[in-house]
Amino acid sequence: MTKLLEWLLGVSLIGVAWGLVTFDLLDLQLPPKYRELAWPMPVYLLVAFGCYSLAAVSYRVATFNDCEDAAKELQAQIKEAKEDLKKKGLKM
Amino acid sequence: MASRRGNAKTGEQADKYSVLLPTYNERENLPLIVWLLVKYFGESGYNYEIIVIDDGSPDGTLQIAEQLQKIYGADKILLRPRAKKLGLGTAYIHGIKHASGNFIIIMDADLSHHPKFIPQFIEKQKEGGYDLVSGTRYRGDGGVYGWDLRRKLISRGANFITQVLLRPGASDLTGSFRLYKTEVLEKLVEQCVSKGYVFQMEMIVRARQLGYTVGEVPISFVDRVYGESKLGGNEIVSFLKGLLTLFATT
């Protein structure tokens, strides 16, 4: 199953569950509290996911390692390499 | 080909690592990356070869490669040039044909990937028997140098969307510093159809699909050419297109 199909399946299942509870499609006579809670759920979930996404990306950008030492080490090694290669006869 | 790789070599180890270096106008960087590869492979004692796949560089990259071959030996530096600039996927296919190692390392030749991580890749692979080991900039003490806020934001944002949509089980999908078992790389390149960043993503996604195991090693990515290679609107659009295609087809 492709990821797209997995998503569609997941969304459909959640959609059906939501519809059943919110509109009482099976005539289960659920207490009104359940219906009131279920009704705005899709919007709540989308907003929650949006907030999570913003928070996650912001955190990851903020904690993205800056490899200062790696850059310095590379510069030093480049110098070393150039000298060594010259000795070995490389004509740049 | 299989029997060549299966034989125990006269050296201490039967494993041999072929490094594929596709190059285009890397006259300045090629000697440096080769020097570093020789240094770290030499220190670690692993058996290796470096395969330079130059796509007809007008700046004389191939001539520099020939000098390096004289210095380090034609058994260590193999030249397999091509007439003109063809894609990365075909460069890998071309490289694999000439590789005698049972493991293949792919990396950039512009010094953004540092050979010091290769022994770590090798050890990680041995530790878990992984089919492929991927260098990650996003975990552990992996990271980047030379990226401004915009670049970091785009990178993390794109990676986040990719993780949500594809749930790939690897933290860095667009990275191109990896170690593969040769037969695994062969199989994957056969299957992958995308280009550019998405090609690297597709390799990992298909690897997971085929049940291959993926290990990770944090790496530092030192970007010295960022100023020239802009991450513009076009690239972002084609990335998203590629991502959605993978989403719908894998």
Side-chain angles (χ1 to χ4, degrees):
Chain A
M1 196 190 282
T2 65
K3 289 288 180 291
L4 175 59
L5 287 178
E6 280 180 23
W7 269 79
L8 288 176
L9 185 63
V11 168
S12 310
L13 285 173
I14 294 176
V16 165
W18 176 78
L20 282 177
V21 175
T22 309
F23 302 112
D24 205 8
L25 298 174
L26 290 178
D27 216 13
L28 293 169
Q29 307 291 346
L30 291 166
K33 267 215 180 100
Y34 279 36
R35 300 185 62 178
E36 277 170 30
L37 189 61
W39 162 232
M41 260 312 170
V43 179
Y44 284 177
L45 288 174
L46 274 169
V47 172
F49 177 71
C51 292
Y52 166 74
S53 305
L54 270 170
V57 175
S58 306
Y59 175 74
R60 290 172 188 177
V61 170
T63 57
F64 211 158
N65 284 334
D66 272 309
C67 307
E68 299 277 347
D69 292 336
K72 286 206 191 88
E73 179 190 45
L74 183 61
Q75 287 309 316
Q77 285 180 326
I78 288 175
K79 263 213 189 101
E80 197 190 333
K82 283 187 173 158
E83 284 167 13
D84 190 37
L85 286 166
K86 230 197 208 150
K87 276 201 210 112
K88 291 192 159 86
L90 188 80
K91 291 183 185 53
M92 297 273 294
Chain B
M1 258 219 227
S3 57
R4 266 203 288 152
R5 288 182 204 130
N7 285 342
K9 302 277 177 174
T10 49
E12 304 122 89
Q13 273 141 335
D15 289 328
K16 184 170 181 184
Y17 300 88
S18 301
V19 181
L20 299 188
L21 281 183
T23 60
Y24 191 74
N25 285 346
E26 294 291 1
R27 192 179 196 289
E28 302 276 325
N29 292 324
L30 186 61
L32 304 172
I33 190 91
V34 167
W35 188 87
L36 287 168
L37 283 165
V38 170
K39 173 183 159 81
Y40 286 96
F41 267 114
E43 283 169 11
S44 64
Y46 295 118
N47 193 6
Y48 72 103
E49 64 184 358
I50 300 169
I51 304 176
V52 179
I53 302 156
D54 185 53
D55 281 358
S57 298
D59 72 345
T61 302
L62 191 56
Q63 283 69 44
I64 284 275
E66 282 162 3
Q67 287 192 54
L68 289 165
Q69 200 178 38
K70 288 204 185 70
I71 295 174
Y72 291 113
D75 60 325
K76 287 283 180 262
I77 317 276
L78 277 63
L79 304 182
R80 298 290 179 266
R82 305 192 296 179
K84 58 176 184 152
K85 200 165 199 286
L86 302 165
L88 200 58
T90 51
Y92 291 163
I93 294 173
H94 185 72
I96 293 170
K97 283 205 189 80
H98 301 284
S100 61
N102 55 333
F103 288 98
I104 300 213
I105 292 161
I106 62 158
M107 60 190 299
D108 291 351
D110 62 359
L111 295 174
S112 50
H113 295 147
H114 198 301
K116 70 179 176 181
F117 294 106
I118 293 180
Q120 293 179 36
F121 280 31
I122 294 176
E123 268 133 53
K124 185 78 191 182
Q125 191 284 322
K126 287 187 192 297
E127 180 193 313
Y130 296 107
D131 295 303
L132 78 98
V133 177
S134 171
T136 174
R137 296 158 291 176
Y138 299 134
R139 281 252 178 91
D141 53 4
V144 296
Y145 177 81
W147 280 14
D148 58 9
L149 187 61
R150 177 181 178 267
R151 183 80 195 260
K152 285 184 184 177
L153 195 55
I154 294 176
S155 180
R156 284 294 199 175
N159 183 260
F160 180 80
I161 298 173
T162 306
Q163 295 290 333
V164 168
L165 288 180
L166 300 181
R167 295 177 344 260
S171 62
D172 190 345
L173 285 189
T174 53
S176 50
F177 192 5
R178 299 180 185 160
L179 166 70
Y180 290 86
K181 287 184 183 167
T182 303
E183 66 271 19
V184 172
L185 182 60
E186 245 172 333
K187 189 80 190 286
L188 290 174
V189 176
E190 223 173 81
Q191 303 233 330
C192 290
V193 295
S194 356
K195 308 246 172 286
Y197 291 120
V198 186
F199 172 71
Q200 301 294 355
M201 278 168 43
E202 193 183 354
M203 296 282 275
I204 296 221
V205 170
R206 298 237 178 252
R208 302 278 294 168
Q209 260 190 327
L210 292 169
Y212 292 131
T213 52
V214 179
E216 290 195 314
V217 167
I219 57 159
S220 53
F221 181 93
V222 176
D223 202 336
R224 298 156 73 219
V225 300
Y226 171 49
E228 294 147 39
S229 59
K230 296 251 163 256
L231 200 59
N234 272 340
E235 287 196 294
I236 295 179
V237 167
S238 64
F239 168 82
L240 287 173
K241 267 178 156 163
L243 174 57
L244 289 175
T245 307
L246 279 181
F247 178 63
T249 59
T250 62

